């Protein structure tokens, strides 16, 4: 009994909940506002709800409540990938978490999958792909976005991932060969189809994310005339609920539209 209690305190489970200097954490105040901060010894975080010393957070356990200078309470947890995507600096529009999850499954991303992603934008999809264990090469036409994505991905994934971004236009060609997956989040993905056909291995999955159905129809037409088959298109609607004792109902607001997801597979013809 005694030994178990000690093991629980010093074992890996206990260690994993301890927050360390250099980590990013999410602070949540009494009004459910979220703040994403990076912890540095001696620093402090200022909000109109009071000041929180980083030193109080360093060494706290994830899930703990800490006190700010004015006696306000903040819950501290590590951010999820979804928290990071919604809070990180963005240049281009990011793919929303509800769609990121669906894309990982629809494109069947697995550890070791060789993926080409274009355009990379702010790097939200890159992070989800790397989390799933993929090896990712990104083509991004704008150098400033490429730079932003490198820093966003570096900050949350570290250096221990297989990730490279090249500043280039995917409509001009793809140098990689034998790719398992090609993911396209840009306005005219049909222009990349001939290159994807040559760059992918048979059986590979192409997945495109498009905001309008006109673009999606154009892509589906181009897929018809290509070596790809088994095309499929869907969208994801996510409705959150308000749950309180006497009021259980859908929330009044929801994200009504983000984008259409289309997948297709490279066939041997
Ligand atoms: N999926 C990204 C967002 C991509 S936004 C995320 O989750 O964060 C679309 C991006 O495509 C923009 O950054 C734009 O610069 C890039 N882009 C547009 N046309 C391109 C092309 N032909 N080749 C490479 N990138 C392109």
């Amino acid at each position: 009994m005694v030994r178990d209690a000690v093991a629980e305190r010093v074992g890996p489970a206990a260690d994993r909940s301890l927050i360390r200097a250099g980590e990013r954490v999410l602070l949540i105040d009494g009004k459910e506002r979220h703040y994403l901060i990076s912890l540095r010894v001696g620093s402090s975080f200022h909000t109109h709800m009071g000041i929180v010393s980083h030193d109080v957070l360093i060494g706290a356990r994830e899930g703990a409540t800490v006190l700010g200078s004015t006696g306000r309470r903040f819950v501290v947890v590590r951010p999820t990938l979804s928290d990071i995507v919604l809070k990180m600096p963005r240049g281009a529009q990011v793919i929303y978490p509800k769609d990121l999850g669906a894309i990982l499954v629809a494109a069947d991303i697995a550890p070791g999958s060789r993926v080409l992603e274009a355009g990379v934008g702010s790097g939200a999809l890159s992070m989800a792909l790397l989390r799933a264990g993929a090896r990712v090469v990104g083509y991004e036409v704008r150098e400033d976005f490429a730079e932003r994505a490198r820093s966003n991905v570096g900050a949350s994934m570290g250096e221990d991932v297989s990730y490279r971004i090249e500043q280039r236009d995917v409509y001009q060609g793809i140098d990689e060969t034998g790719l398992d997956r090609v993911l396209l989040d840009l306005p005219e993905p049909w222009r990349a189809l001939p290159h994807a056909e040559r760059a992918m291995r048979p059986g590979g999955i192409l997945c495109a994310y498009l905001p309008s159905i006109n673009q999606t129809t154009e892509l589906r037409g181009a897929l018809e005339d290509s070596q790809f088959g088994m095309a499929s298109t869907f969208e994801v609607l996510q409705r959150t609920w308000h749950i309180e004792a006497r009021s259980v109902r859908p929330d009044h607001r929801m994200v009504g539209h983000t984008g259409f997801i289309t997948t297709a597979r490279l066939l041997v013809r």
Side-chain angles (χ1 to χ4, degrees), residues 92-93 95 119-125 140-141 145 168-171 185:
Q93 177 63 263
I95 295 186
V120 174
S122 313
L125 179 58
E140 169 53 57
V141 81
F145 286 173
R168 53 187 289 177
D169 180 346
V170 75
Y171 302 152
D185 178 11

Side-chain angles (χ1 to χ4, degrees), residues 146-157:
E147 208 35 64
R148 161 91 35 88
R150 279 184 200 108
S151 84
N152 282 340
V153 172
S156 58
M157 300 287 132

Side-chain angles (χ1 to χ4, degrees), residues 118-119 170-171 174 182-196 206-212 214-220 222-223 228 260 262:
V170 75
Y171 302 152
I174 298 175
V182 169
L183 302 195
L184 302 170
D185 178 11
L186 32 70
E188 299 176 303
W190 49 90
R191 295 178 60 189
L193 290 189
H195 309 309
L206 176 120
C207 179
Y209 185 74
L210 286 164
S212 88
N214 318 50
Q215 290 162 297
T216 304
T217 310
E218 178 130 15
L219 173 64
R220 291 294 300 262
L223 284 169
F228 291 93
F260 300 100
T262 297

Side-chain angles (χ1 to χ4, degrees), residues 34-244:
H34 289 45
Y35 309 92
L36 185 63
I37 60 173
S38 295
L39 297 178
R40 280 195 307 272
V41 175
S43 290
S44 48
F45 167 68
H46 295 250
T47 130
H48 59 279
M49 299 286 272
I51 298 169
V52 184
S53 157
H54 287 203
D55 296 350
V56 171
L57 299 165
I58 294 165
R61 299 190 73 181
E62 192 176 5
T65 299
V66 297
L67 274 182
S69 60
T70 53
R72 304 275 189 172
R73 291 167 187 277
F74 296 85
V75 172
V76 56
V77 287
R78 293 189 177 97
T80 62
L81 181 63
S82 162
D83 295 320
I84 291 170
V85 164
L86 297 176
K87 288 271 176 197
M88 71 188 188
R90 307 179 196 178
Q93 177 63 263
V94 296
I95 295 186
Y96 268 70
K98 71 177 175 76
D99 296 318
L100 290 174
I103 288 170
L104 291 183
V105 175
D108 198 31
I109 303 298
S113 299
R114 292 192 57 220
V115 179
L116 179 101
E117 183 199 354
V120 174
S122 313
L125 179 58
S126 302
M127 291 179 193
L129 295 168
L130 294 168
R131 261 286 177 88
R135 292 182 286 161
V136 181
V137 175
Y139 286 8
E140 169 53 57
V141 81
R142 282 186 50 170
E143 183 55 33
D144 53 340
F145 286 173
E147 208 35 64
R148 161 91 35 88
R150 279 184 200 108
S151 84
N152 282 340
V153 172
S156 58
M157 300 287 132
E159 303 302 317
D160 203 19
V161 287
S162 177
Y163 188 58
R164 185 179 86 239
I165 302 182
E166 296 183 9
Q167 189 210 338
R168 53 187 289 177
D169 180 346
V170 75
Y171 302 152
Q172 304 296 318
I174 298 175
D175 283 348
E176 282 64 28
T177 52
L179 292 166
D180 298 307
R181 308 289 182 250
V182 169
L183 302 195
L184 302 170
D185 178 11
L186 32 70
E188 299 176 303
W190 49 90
R191 295 178 60 189
L193 290 189
H195 309 309
E197 281 176 342
R198 284 190 292 275
M200 291 172 76
R201 62 156 177 89
I205 301 177
L206 176 120
C207 179
Y209 185 74
L210 286 164
S212 88
I213 203 66
N214 318 50
Q215 290 162 297
T216 304
T217 310
E218 178 130 15
L219 173 64
R220 291 294 300 262
L223 284 169
E224 286 279 320
D225 301 331
S226 77
Q227 223 180 295
F228 291 93
M230 300 170 67
S232 160
T233 295
F234 66 96
E235 64 180 315
V236 176
L237 305 182
Q238 178 173 313
R239 191 163 69 153
T240 59
W241 282 60
H242 171 90
I243 298 188
E244 259 181 27

